[in-house]
Amino acid sequence: MDLDGIYRAEYGRCVATLARLLGDISIAEEAVQDAFTVALEKWDTPPPNPGAWIVTTARNRAIDRLRRESTREARHAQALLLYQPDEPEEVGPVRDDQLRLIFTCCHPALAPLAQTALTLRLMGGLEVPEIARAYLVPEATVAQRIVRAKKKIRDAGIPYRVPGGAELPARLPPVLTVLYLIFNEGYASTSGDLVRTDLCLEAVRLARALADLMPDEPEVLGLLALLILIEARRPARVSPTGELVTLTEQDRSLWNQELIAEGHALVRRCLKRNRPGPYQIQAAINAVHTDGPATDWVQVLALYDQLLARSSTQVVLLNRAVAVAEVHGPALALASIEGVDLPGYHLLPATRADLLARLGRTGEARAAYDEAITLAGNDTERTFLQGRRAEL
Amino acid sequence: MKQYMLSVHHDYDVPMPTGDDLQASFEQVDRVNQEMVSTGVWVFGGGLLSPDTATVVLAGTGDTTMTDGPFTETKEQLGGFWVIRCADLDAALSWAEQCSQACRGPVEVRPFEDEPA
């Protein structure tokens, strides 16, 4: 029985539902963990709907736990749990516990790192070390931010709800960041296997739900387009023997044409609205990558320049360098990332290594590959980098 | 229901609004107060006189010291505050927005400990 798989798939959904029922994130997490412990003892084979089983069990365990504890908060929570109907009246336009929890976790009264760390932990079921790597920050920092954020949600009375229409635009950007990061963690996992399909699919599912909720927000459509255009290429990204295949070497017949068509249609919808933003531009870059038999790098570089003008970040500069190399050659590309400083991020030395190798600076390339290999979190990328190093 | 303190922080180095703007600010604060009372969130509120009217008292073992002036000598000082009772932080933040507009300055929202049952 694949209890780990069920845990991964159901954790976020169960916590979101229990958080609604219990009105407290920490109690919800404990209850869900309790229920999985019970499942480990009781299940020979999982029930047909494991998520529903976990929610029911977690709810009963929470009532038991609250009965044992005699604090006033516990009695209050117990009263809520016993008297709250299963389906409370919806305040927002969405019938989705997970979206409600995301908007709560991404509340503007929480610091940006706390918002994202909390959502990745609760929604994506990511562990603290994975979040720390995704953010390039120490694990202790992440753990502390999560604890503090949960405390503030409870103590300051941050409500569980999807914000109303007028508040939505201001509350949206952190939610988009979070969905993007969940997808990214799934697409290039920071540990173990290269791809965690469950996280990718979860991020796409949540982005779709968000696009249904906010069809007039071009950045929501842009994010969805970006995610599905990357997702469409996933089947070609790893060879049958488990090796990483770069974009230019991928077998395009393996790409998911249905997703590509959907992504392109979304990008066209965004263009019509003419309110560009970072996610829409990144979606457009991926639309160019997936259009025709080969990438039009001049167009990609032009889009990166547009992106850079809007959000001049180190990661954008690094990604742009790949396009610079294709259009203007590796020397200019290398010069363009001279000042880039991304401690702990393996793709910086990996990109430098590739550019140095193309310039024939083999010794420096080897050193850069060594650095990238040390920093790479998942086995597939590490193997890929080792292979490239060996070819020098 | 939770209770929140909405505190107004004034930079006393910056000149206070004068004339018409001061009058407009007073009227806005008054409207906010009335709305708080009529919607039932009002617990208490008021503006404070300037920090140089403050005295700090510290009771030690056997002796008590009194010091002229505010507790901290920073240029930003508490200018006044409201205590409101409302459902959640979103409601409190929305009131704070009105308070900030009325007072022409930042408003800190801080939850009280729950009242004993």
Side-chain angles (χ1 to χ4, degrees):
Chain A
M1 181 182 63
D2 179 20
L3 194 62
D4 274 355
I6 294 170
Y7 183 85
R8 285 278 186 218
E10 302 291 343
Y11 185 81
R13 269 187 281 265
C14 293
V15 169
T17 301
L18 264 295
R20 165 168 60 78
L21 293 173
L22 295 162
D24 185 289
I25 289 174
S26 298
I27 300 177
E29 277 190 292
E30 275 172 25
V32 170
Q33 278 156 14
D34 275 0
F36 271 102
T37 310
V38 178
L40 189 64
E41 291 161 9
K42 287 200 172 167
W43 289 357
D44 293 323
T45 53
N49 186 346
W53 190 97
I54 291 291
V55 166
T56 306
T57 308
R59 186 181 162 144
N60 293 337
R61 299 291 286 202
I63 293 172
D64 288 348
R65 183 189 282 264
L66 292 168
R67 280 192 177 131
R68 282 199 305 275
E69 291 169 6
S70 57
T71 64
R72 199 178 57 81
E73 290 80 16
R75 284 200 304 277
H76 178 68
Q78 186 192 333
L80 270 181
L81 189 60
L82 291 171
Y83 297 114
Q84 199 168 8
D86 276 348
E87 289 299 326
E89 198 183 329
E90 292 296 316
V91 281
V94 179
R95 288 197 145 268
D96 191 325
D97 288 331
Q98 292 193 84
L99 274 178
R100 185 186 294 107
L101 187 56
I102 277 202
F103 272 101
T104 303
C105 293
C106 299
H107 195 280
L110 301 172
L113 179 59
Q115 294 170 342
T116 319
L118 189 59
T119 312
L120 287 171
R121 175 75 199 96
L122 296 178
M123 306 298 302
L126 267 69
E127 304 297 334
V128 167
E130 295 175 283
I131 300 169
R133 295 194 60 125
Y135 267 98
L136 314 175
V137 292
E139 286 178 24
T141 307
V142 171
Q144 186 198 40
R145 295 301 169 93
I146 289 175
V147 168
R148 205 188 290 161
K150 285 197 284 201
K151 190 172 179 304
K152 184 166 184 184
I153 288 173
R154 189 184 59 230
D155 292 348
I158 292 178
Y160 290 105
R161 64 160 171 257
V162 175
E167 300 165 86
L168 266 180
R171 298 280 304 272
L172 189 59
V175 175
L176 298 180
T177 306
V178 164
L179 295 186
Y180 179 72
L181 278 171
I182 293 175
F183 183 88
N184 217 28
E185 173 59 25
Y187 195 70
S189 281
T190 45
S191 62
D193 293 338
L194 175 68
V195 179
R196 281 181 50 192
T197 314
D198 52 345
L199 284 184
C200 291
L201 296 179
E202 199 56 32
V204 170
R205 196 193 73 82
L206 287 167
R208 271 192 212 284
L210 202 60
D212 280 344
L213 169 68
M214 311 174 80
D216 295 324
E217 283 298 327
E219 278 292 89
V220 174
L221 303 181
L223 175 73
L224 177 60
L226 172 63
L227 300 192
I228 61 184
L229 286 172
I230 300 174
E231 173 68 12
R233 304 199 300 267
R234 187 159 51 81
R237 193 153 162 262
V238 179
S239 74
T241 48
E243 284 143 353
L244 190 67
V245 186
T246 58
L247 177 65
T248 42
E249 290 159 359
Q250 283 175 14
D251 176 357
R252 293 181 171 228
S253 70
L254 295 175
W255 291 355
N256 183 331
Q257 292 305 325
E258 211 173 300
L259 283 181
I260 288 174
E262 188 189 352
H264 286 195
L266 281 166
V267 170
R268 280 194 295 274
R269 260 171 80 190
C270 291
L271 287 173
K272 261 190 224 155
R273 286 171 198 267
N274 199 23
R275 278 164 54 203
Y279 289 109
Q280 294 173 77
I281 298 171
Q282 289 177 79
I285 289 170
N286 281 279
V288 176
H289 282 317
T290 48
D291 189 31
T295 293
D296 177 349
W297 286 103
V298 173
Q299 218 183 334
V300 169
L301 183 57
L303 286 165
Y304 268 119
D305 287 339
Q306 235 190 85
L307 189 57
L308 200 61
R310 285 176 176 274
S311 55
S312 180
T313 69
Q314 309 252 318
V315 174
V316 171
L317 263 175
L318 180 62
N319 293 338
R320 178 177 169 274
V322 177
V324 174
E326 295 300 327
V327 177
H328 299 300
L332 274 175
L334 195 60
S336 78
I337 54 169
E338 218 157 63
V340 174
D341 181 30
L342 290 162
Y345 190 51
H346 71 284
L347 288 180
L348 175 58
T351 305
R352 289 190 66 240
D354 181 55
L355 296 171
L356 288 165
R358 284 157 76 173
L359 289 166
R361 290 157 68 176
T362 313
E364 290 166 88
R366 200 171 284 133
Y369 272 125
D370 285 339
E371 194 188 340
I373 289 162
T374 312
L375 292 174
N378 69 66
D379 304 336
T380 311
E381 283 189 291
R382 203 167 15 247
T383 309
F384 172 81
L385 292 167
Q386 281 159 348
R388 285 286 154 115
R389 188 188 183 281
E391 283 168 20
L392 287 173
Chain B
M1 284 291 178
K2 290 187 70 73
Q3 292 201 117
Y4 298 88
M5 180 163 87
L6 315 185
S7 50
V8 185
H9 293 264
H10 269 314
D11 184 341
Y12 281 87
D13 284 356
V14 174
M16 296 283 278
T18 52
D20 287 352
D21 191 36
L22 185 65
Q23 194 54 41
S25 172
F26 281 154
E27 282 166 14
Q28 262 178 281
V29 169
D30 220 35
R31 273 200 299 279
V32 173
N33 289 346
Q34 283 169 22
E35 216 184 315
M36 282 181 174
V37 171
S38 67
T39 53
V41 303
W42 170 277
V43 177
F44 182 77
L48 297 168
L49 289 175
S50 70
D52 56 21
T53 62
T55 311
V56 175
V57 179
L58 179 64
T61 46
D63 61 332
T64 296
T65 57
M66 304 210 182
T67 316
D68 178 31
F71 178 59
T72 51
E73 291 289 350
T74 54
K75 61 194 177 84
E76 283 185 333
Q77 294 282 345
L78 191 63
F81 64 90
W82 286 268
V83 176
I84 62 170
R85 186 182 287 126
C86 56
D88 56 39
L89 185 67
D90 279 358
L93 294 175
S94 159
W95 282 109
E97 201 177 344
Q98 291 194 47
C99 295
S100 170
Q101 269 165 6
C103 297
R104 323 283 196 255
V107 171
E108 180 185 298
V109 179
R110 199 157 155 192
F112 277 84
E113 282 187 5
D114 286 333
E115 295 159 78

